[in-house]
Amino acid sequence: DIQMTQSPSTLSASVGDRVTITCRASQSISSWLAWYQQKPGKAPKVLISKASSLESGVPSRFSGSGSGTEFTLTISSLQPDDFATYYCQQYNPYSWTFGQGTKVEIK
Amino acid sequence: QVQLVESGGGVAQPGGSLRLSCGASGFTFSHYGMHWVRQAPGKGLEWVAFIRYDGGDQSYAESVKGRFTISRDNSNNTLYLQMNSLRDEDTSVYYCAKIADSYASGSHYDYWGQGTLVSVSS
Protein backbone atom coordinates (compact mmCIF):
# COMPACT_ATOMS: atom_id res chain seq x y z
CA ASP A 1 0.00 0.00 0.00
CA ILE A 2 1.09 3.56 -0.69
CA GLN A 3 1.50 5.60 2.49
CA MET A 4 0.96 9.36 2.53
CA THR A 5 2.73 11.46 5.15
CA GLN A 6 1.60 15.03 5.74
CA SER A 7 3.46 17.70 7.64
CA PRO A 8 2.99 19.52 9.84
CA SER A 9 0.09 17.94 11.77
CA THR A 10 -0.89 21.34 13.16
CA LEU A 11 -0.01 24.79 11.93
CA SER A 12 -0.67 28.07 13.75
CA ALA A 13 -0.86 31.09 11.47
CA SER A 14 -2.31 34.58 11.19
CA VAL A 15 -4.58 36.13 8.60
CA GLY A 16 -2.42 37.21 5.67
CA ASP A 17 0.32 34.62 6.26
CA ARG A 18 1.66 32.40 3.49
CA VAL A 19 1.11 28.78 4.48
CA THR A 20 2.65 25.63 3.03
CA ILE A 21 1.63 22.03 3.75
CA THR A 22 3.71 19.10 2.52
CA CYS A 23 2.63 15.61 1.54
CA ARG A 24 5.06 12.78 0.81
CA ALA A 25 4.19 9.48 -0.85
CA SER A 26 5.97 6.24 0.01
CA GLN A 27 6.40 5.57 -3.72
CA SER A 28 5.90 7.54 -6.91
CA ILE A 29 2.29 8.47 -7.65
CA SER A 30 3.05 10.64 -10.69
CA SER A 31 0.57 13.51 -10.31
CA TRP A 32 -2.35 11.47 -8.96
CA LEU A 33 -2.81 13.70 -5.92
CA ALA A 34 -5.70 15.78 -4.62
CA TRP A 35 -6.04 18.24 -1.74
CA TYR A 36 -9.24 18.57 0.29
CA GLN A 37 -10.38 21.10 2.91
CA GLN A 38 -12.63 19.98 5.75
CA LYS A 39 -14.40 22.12 8.32
CA PRO A 40 -15.86 20.69 11.56
CA GLY A 41 -19.04 18.71 11.00
CA LYS A 42 -18.84 19.03 7.22
CA ALA A 43 -17.82 16.81 4.35
CA PRO A 44 -14.45 17.49 2.71
CA LYS A 45 -14.29 19.76 -0.32
CA VAL A 46 -11.79 19.32 -3.14
CA LEU A 47 -9.39 22.19 -3.74
CA ILE A 48 -6.74 20.77 -6.08
CA SER A 49 -6.60 17.69 -8.33
CA LYS A 50 -3.82 16.19 -10.44
CA ALA A 51 -1.36 17.81 -8.01
CA SER A 52 -1.72 21.33 -9.36
CA SER A 53 -5.10 21.78 -11.06
CA LEU A 54 -7.31 24.26 -9.21
CA GLU A 55 -10.92 23.12 -8.98
CA SER A 56 -13.68 25.36 -10.26
CA GLY A 57 -14.76 27.97 -7.74
CA VAL A 58 -11.70 27.58 -5.50
CA PRO A 59 -9.96 30.89 -4.74
CA SER A 60 -6.71 31.49 -6.57
CA ARG A 61 -4.81 31.91 -3.29
CA PHE A 62 -4.73 28.11 -3.17
CA SER A 63 -2.10 26.37 -5.30
CA GLY A 64 -0.58 22.92 -5.53
CA SER A 65 2.72 21.67 -6.85
CA GLY A 66 4.88 18.57 -7.05
CA SER A 67 5.04 15.19 -8.72
CA GLY A 68 6.39 11.76 -7.96
CA THR A 69 6.65 11.61 -4.16
CA GLU A 70 6.71 15.22 -2.92
CA PHE A 71 3.79 17.59 -3.06
CA THR A 72 2.84 20.92 -1.52
CA LEU A 73 -0.33 22.90 -0.94
CA THR A 74 0.23 26.63 -0.59
CA ILE A 75 -2.19 29.29 0.60
CA SER A 76 -0.66 32.57 -0.51
CA SER A 77 -2.50 34.83 1.94
CA LEU A 78 -4.47 33.06 4.66
CA GLN A 79 -8.07 34.26 5.04
CA PRO A 80 -10.45 33.75 8.00
CA ASP A 81 -12.43 31.17 5.99
CA ASP A 82 -9.29 29.05 5.50
CA PHE A 83 -8.96 27.88 9.10
CA ALA A 84 -9.75 24.19 8.63
CA THR A 85 -8.13 20.78 8.28
CA TYR A 86 -6.46 19.88 4.99
CA TYR A 87 -5.92 16.37 3.62
CA CYS A 88 -3.91 15.09 0.71
CA GLN A 89 -5.10 11.97 -1.12
CA GLN A 90 -3.37 9.79 -3.66
CA TYR A 91 -5.70 8.11 -6.14
CA ASN A 92 -3.74 5.64 -8.19
CA PRO A 93 -6.37 3.19 -9.46
CA TYR A 94 -7.12 0.53 -6.85
CA SER A 95 -4.98 2.29 -4.26
CA TRP A 96 -6.50 5.24 -2.48
CA THR A 97 -4.95 6.71 0.65
CA PHE A 98 -5.24 9.94 2.61
CA GLY A 99 -2.62 11.79 4.55
CA GLN A 100 -3.30 12.14 8.27
CA GLY A 101 -4.38 15.78 7.92
CA THR A 102 -3.03 19.22 8.78
CA LYS A 103 -5.07 21.46 11.05
CA VAL A 104 -4.59 25.15 10.33
CA GLU A 105 -5.31 27.12 13.50
CA ILE A 106 -5.53 30.79 14.32
CA LYS A 107 -2.32 32.09 15.90
CA GLN B 1 -27.20 19.92 -9.01
CA VAL B 2 -25.38 16.86 -7.76
CA GLN B 3 -26.70 15.45 -4.50
CA LEU B 4 -25.55 12.45 -2.50
CA VAL B 5 -27.66 11.52 0.52
CA GLU B 6 -26.53 8.78 2.90
CA SER B 7 -28.87 6.87 5.20
CA GLY B 8 -28.89 3.73 7.30
CA GLY B 9 -26.47 4.73 10.04
CA GLY B 10 -27.20 4.06 13.69
CA VAL B 11 -26.14 1.99 16.64
CA ALA B 12 -25.10 -1.63 16.25
CA GLN B 13 -23.63 -4.18 18.63
CA PRO B 14 -20.21 -5.70 18.05
CA GLY B 15 -20.66 -8.59 15.64
CA GLY B 16 -23.81 -7.02 14.24
CA SER B 17 -24.69 -5.73 10.80
CA LEU B 18 -25.87 -2.52 9.16
CA ARG B 19 -26.54 -1.53 5.56
CA LEU B 20 -25.81 1.99 4.44
CA SER B 21 -27.41 3.57 1.37
CA CYS B 22 -26.39 6.57 -0.69
CA GLY B 23 -29.04 8.05 -2.99
CA ALA B 24 -27.62 9.97 -5.95
CA SER B 25 -29.17 12.63 -8.14
CA GLY B 26 -28.15 15.39 -10.53
CA PHE B 27 -25.77 13.30 -12.65
CA THR B 28 -25.75 10.09 -14.69
CA PHE B 29 -25.03 7.70 -11.81
CA SER B 30 -24.22 4.72 -14.06
CA HIS B 31 -21.28 6.58 -15.61
CA TYR B 32 -19.28 7.14 -12.40
CA GLY B 33 -17.34 5.03 -9.97
CA MET B 34 -18.26 5.56 -6.33
CA HIS B 35 -16.45 5.26 -3.01
CA TRP B 36 -17.16 4.97 0.68
CA VAL B 37 -14.85 6.92 3.00
CA ARG B 38 -15.08 6.98 6.79
CA GLN B 39 -13.91 9.21 9.61
CA ALA B 40 -13.70 8.07 13.21
CA PRO B 41 -14.56 10.71 15.83
CA GLY B 42 -11.77 13.29 15.97
CA LYS B 43 -9.66 11.36 13.46
CA GLY B 44 -8.67 11.62 9.80
CA LEU B 45 -10.22 10.29 6.63
CA GLU B 46 -9.95 6.58 5.77
CA TRP B 47 -10.81 5.12 2.38
CA VAL B 48 -13.14 2.11 2.77
CA ALA B 49 -14.31 0.78 -0.60
CA PHE B 50 -14.66 1.48 -4.33
CA ILE B 51 -17.07 0.20 -6.97
CA ARG B 52 -16.68 0.70 -10.69
CA TYR B 53 -19.31 2.60 -12.65
CA ASP B 54 -20.95 -0.61 -13.89
CA GLY B 55 -20.53 -2.55 -10.65
CA GLY B 56 -18.13 -4.90 -12.40
CA ASP B 57 -15.24 -4.38 -10.00
CA GLN B 58 -14.83 -3.60 -6.33
CA SER B 59 -11.91 -2.87 -4.04
CA TYR B 60 -11.67 -2.74 -0.24
CA ALA B 61 -9.38 -1.45 2.48
CA GLU B 62 -7.64 -4.26 4.36
CA SER B 63 -9.41 -3.18 7.56
CA VAL B 64 -12.84 -4.10 6.14
CA LYS B 65 -12.04 -6.80 3.57
CA GLY B 66 -14.21 -9.89 4.08
CA ARG B 67 -16.66 -8.00 6.33
CA PHE B 68 -18.00 -5.16 4.17
CA THR B 69 -19.54 -5.37 0.70
CA ILE B 70 -20.04 -2.43 -1.64
CA SER B 71 -22.73 -2.65 -4.31
CA ARG B 72 -24.83 -0.41 -6.49
CA ASP B 73 -28.20 -0.32 -8.22
CA ASN B 74 -27.81 1.80 -11.33
CA SER B 75 -31.50 1.57 -12.15
CA ASN B 76 -32.33 3.27 -8.82
CA ASN B 77 -29.25 5.52 -8.59
CA THR B 78 -28.27 4.05 -5.24
CA LEU B 79 -24.97 2.97 -3.70
CA TYR B 80 -24.83 0.52 -0.79
CA LEU B 81 -22.40 -0.62 1.88
CA GLN B 82 -23.30 -3.85 3.68
CA MET B 83 -21.35 -3.97 6.95
CA ASN B 84 -21.15 -7.31 8.77
CA SER B 85 -19.17 -8.49 11.80
CA LEU B 86 -18.98 -4.92 13.05
CA ARG B 87 -16.23 -3.97 15.49
CA ASP B 88 -15.82 -1.08 17.91
CA GLU B 89 -13.22 0.41 15.58
CA ASP B 90 -15.79 0.68 12.77
CA THR B 91 -17.45 3.54 14.67
CA SER B 92 -17.23 6.46 12.24
CA VAL B 93 -19.08 8.89 10.05
CA TYR B 94 -19.41 7.18 6.68
CA TYR B 95 -19.39 9.30 3.53
CA CYS B 96 -20.20 8.29 -0.01
CA ALA B 97 -18.18 10.11 -2.64
CA LYS B 98 -18.45 10.44 -6.41
CA ILE B 99 -15.33 10.33 -8.54
CA ALA B 100 -14.85 13.23 -10.92
CA ASP B 101 -14.07 11.44 -14.19
CA SER B 102 -16.67 9.30 -15.92
CA TYR B 103 -15.78 5.67 -16.64
CA ALA B 104 -12.56 6.06 -14.63
CA SER B 105 -11.19 4.11 -11.68
CA GLY B 106 -8.39 6.47 -10.65
CA SER B 107 -9.84 9.91 -10.01
CA HIS B 108 -10.35 12.35 -7.19
CA TYR B 109 -13.72 13.02 -5.57
CA ASP B 110 -15.73 16.00 -6.73
CA TYR B 111 -18.82 15.47 -4.58
CA TRP B 112 -19.41 14.00 -1.12
CA GLY B 113 -22.55 13.21 0.83
CA GLN B 114 -23.21 14.75 4.24
CA GLY B 115 -22.24 11.53 6.04
CA THR B 116 -24.07 9.07 8.27
CA LEU B 117 -22.87 8.07 11.74
CA VAL B 118 -22.32 4.43 12.62
CA SER B 119 -21.73 3.65 16.29
CA VAL B 120 -20.68 0.16 17.32
CA SER B 121 -21.14 -0.39 21.01
CA SER B 122 -22.43 -2.99 23.42
Side-chain angles (χ1 to χ4, degrees), chain A residues 54-71:
Chain A
L54 192 69
E55 290 291 298
S56 175
V58 175
S60 59
R61 63 181 178 272
F62 291 92
S63 64
S65 65
S67 66
T69 61
E70 285 238 1
F71 302 87

Side-chain angles (χ1 to χ4, degrees), chain A residues 6 8-13 19 21 35-45 47 61-62 73 75 78-87 100-107, chain B residues 39:
Chain A
Q6 263 182 260
S9 298
T10 307
L11 190 159
S12 296
V19 164
I21 299 168
W35 290 97
Y36 300 88
Q37 178 193 67
Q38 187 181 34
K39 296 183 178 178
K42 300 292 187 182
K45 169 190 167 185
L47 301 173
R61 63 181 178 272
F62 291 92
L73 172 70
I75 309 173
L78 199 64
Q79 297 302 301
D81 191 48
D82 302 337
F83 291 97
T85 301
Y86 294 84
Y87 294 92
Q100 77 274 25
T102 296
K103 186 175 183 180
V104 177
E105 297 181 327
I106 301 172
K107 193 172 186 179
Chain B
Q39 187 169 37

